[in-house]
Amino acid sequence: EIHTAIFRGAQNPVLLLLYEFLMSRIMGNRAVKVRFEPDVELMRNSHKAIVEAILNRQADAAERAMIDHLHSVGMDFIREASR
């Protein structure tokens, strides 16, 4: 799973624990899970930008790509949860 690999690669156990906690809460809410349909193409492009920046050892680009990704996914989630 891409998220777990990135957090493990960062060698920061707090990030991994935070991710696992958030995902258990999000995915544990069946009503949200059923309605949550993110833009798959946008998500794919976000993941690609993050991974490419990491592989190219471009920390600033990886950080920017991650922030953009979190903002996009967060907005998708908020939009769906408010329906």
Side-chain angles (χ1 to χ4, degrees):
E1 209 262 324
I2 189 170
H3 301 102
T4 303
I6 290 171
F7 294 131
R8 283 198 176 127
Q11 297 180 347
N12 184 333
V14 174
L15 286 176
L16 184 58
L17 286 172
L18 181 60
Y19 169 73
E20 290 172 346
F21 173 78
L22 289 172
M23 291 310 295
S24 71
R25 296 299 173 251
I26 291 169
M27 294 312 200
N29 185 339
R30 189 158 192 230
V32 172
K33 186 168 50 173
V34 169
R35 290 189 315 214
F36 185 58
E37 295 179 23
D39 181 334
V40 175
E41 189 63 28
L42 179 62
M43 192 173 292
R44 186 176 295 126
N45 290 337
S46 293
H47 286 151
K48 182 178 178 185
I50 294 164
V51 170
E52 285 179 354
I54 291 170
L55 292 176
N56 291 322
R57 299 183 182 272
Q58 298 172 329
D60 292 341
E63 180 182 16
R64 181 77 244 156
M66 181 61 81
I67 289 168
D68 291 346
H69 174 62
L70 291 172
H71 177 76
S72 174
V73 170
M75 294 308 294
D76 281 349
F77 183 76
I78 290 167
R79 187 171 31 259
E80 293 299 322
S82 66
R83 287 187 186 189

